[in-house]
Amino acid sequence: MIDPLVLRTDPDRIRESQRRRGENVELVDELVAADIAKRQAQTAFDELRSEQKGLGKRIGPLQGALKKAGTDEARQDAQTELDSLMTQAQALSDRVKEAERSAAAAGDVVDALWLQVSNLVNLESPIGGEEDFTVLEEVGTPRDFEAEGIEARDHLELGELLGAIDVERGAKVSGSRFFYLTGPGALLEFALLNLAMQQAVEHGLVPMITPSLVLPSAMEGTGFLGQAAENVYRIEQDDMYLVGTSEVPLAGYHSDEIIDGDRLPLRYAGWSSCYRREAGSYGKDTRGIIRVHQFDKVEMFVFCRPEDAEAEHAQLLAWEREFVDALEIPYRVIDVATGDLGSSAARKFDIEAWVPTQGTYREITSTSNTTEFQARRLRIRMRDGEQTRPLATLNGTLCAMPRVIVALLENHQQADGSVAIPAALRPFLGGRSAFTPVQ
RNA sequence: GGAGGCAUCGCCUAGCCCGGUCUAUGGCGCCGCACUGCUAAUGCGGUUUGGGUCUCAAGCCCAUCGAGGGUUCAAAUCCCUCUGCCUCCGCCA
């Protein structure tokens, strides 16, 4: 959610943001009107309630006086006054209840509208849709397999050759877009997990293993029940959701809390399974494990002062690059365009790894600066001297297993179908320097 | 799954039976001031969070006693539902 003060003082800023995202601009006008209506209703209730409390404050003592009254005359006077007050109070009671209902209803209208408004975009973000990103940098050089005289195999062929990936049985047991990592594949994931966590801990992030099933409040607070809702698995019987990223439980970790300013930034590295319905991507990436319904991921998450958020964002990107560098995979960094940010992000950088058999770069990490948007929704605040105010949250992928495995296998493959293991990963694989085809 | 207990403004705690000066008690912690070579001690004052009003601030008003409903002129207090924690029983590992 955006600071309501912006709506009252500079609604054009929100309109411009919605426009750049290609989202509903009229929403802002509805919100302006609803916000005014809500405040009027609230004030009306406050005044009636105040009146009611004033009456109540006189009735109590009067009843005491009535009991203690010494003479019939005194008793009579007290009774008369009490009756009069009670009549007024009874009449007021219905009006108070009515005003309370109106105020609550007006508040609900405003809340529902706010949930539809996306975060204010950063004005540096390139404007446009999915294809309108800016390339910030290209790192490493894709191998020229033709020059090496190698017929490049794709990750699935390699994975099957190595006995590392089994999608056929994944489909047999769970349906399409499910897979097994077997033998060396499973060991590879553990190695990647260990390398990622080692790096995270070196940088002072707190390692976390999070729930992957969460309540609606956590899902909504992180902004995944908006346009992204169709990609979320819902457990209807228990009214819970399977998370698509540990960003959700990590953000929710401090919900409803007020954190001392001098404890910030708080940085975490969460490990969890991630579940995505992949609705609307029928026919896309149907081969292999590039797009799957369930995978594991190490995700970084930061709570910091809003004024430090951009620096933290740069830091997260640097740590993502460090990890991909260690795996010796060629990649590029892109500045994601406004139409492709998702509702929470003000700015987003993706790292895309070179995938030889596709002759293109594919997303393997994504880091978002969600500014105060999620913190407001989840009621996470910081104590800053005298005042209490929302903090900023950021997230970034450290290692999304399937896509890293894809990039690793394809980029490091050898003529005989074996795959070289980058030096950084070897300590976590018993010193092995390559995976070799079975039999 | 069954039975019972508990949930109060950072932490602990009083209040609930019997509704109304509750504007929620006291202690600890914390902040400010005073006193004092310094520190400590002591004294005084302050210390939930959110919203509204207001140019700002101050002030004032409203809400907030786990959450949501209800009863009532009036709810921390009475009733119902839910959530979490604890104890016991059952079941499973």
Side-chain angles (χ1 to χ4, degrees), chain A residues 247 299-300 302 309 312-321 333-336 341 345-351 363-370 394-398:
Chain A
E247 171 188 345
E299 178 81 5
M300 299 180 285
V302 175
E312 287 292 326
H313 200 194
Q315 179 63 260
L316 287 177
L317 179 60
W319 285 334
E320 290 179 359
R321 290 182 52 162
V333 180
I334 68 166
D335 196 342
V336 175
L341 289 172
R347 200 172 193 193
K348 182 189 278 190
F349 302 118
D350 286 359
I351 291 179
E363 174 186 339
I364 53 167
T365 76
S366 182
T367 179
S368 296
N369 179 359
T370 52
L394 302 100
N395 62 81
T397 318
L398 190 53

Side-chain angles (χ1 to χ4, degrees), chain A residues 200 203-208 210 222 245-255 259-261 263-270 297-320 344 366-376 378 380-382 390-398:
Chain A
H203 293 315
L205 283 80
V206 179
M208 304 274 269
T210 71
T222 38
T245 163
S246 49
E247 171 188 345
V248 176
L250 289 173
Y253 188 67
H254 287 298
S255 58
I259 298 167
D260 277 336
R263 284 182 61 208
L264 298 174
L266 291 173
R267 302 190 182 102
Y268 299 100
K297 179 159 66 77
V298 178
E299 178 81 5
M300 299 180 285
F301 199 90
V302 175
F303 300 84
C304 71
R305 312 173 74 88
E307 50 277 28
D308 296 339
E310 291 203 18
E312 287 292 326
H313 200 194
Q315 179 63 260
L316 287 177
L317 179 60
W319 285 334
E320 290 179 359
S344 298
S366 182
T367 179
S368 296
N369 179 359
T370 52
T371 62
E372 300 164 34
F373 186 82
Q374 292 178 333
R376 275 211 167 76
L378 292 166
I380 309 171
R381 289 156 292 170
M382 56 177 283
L391 42 68
T393 59
L394 302 100
N395 62 81
T397 318
L398 190 53

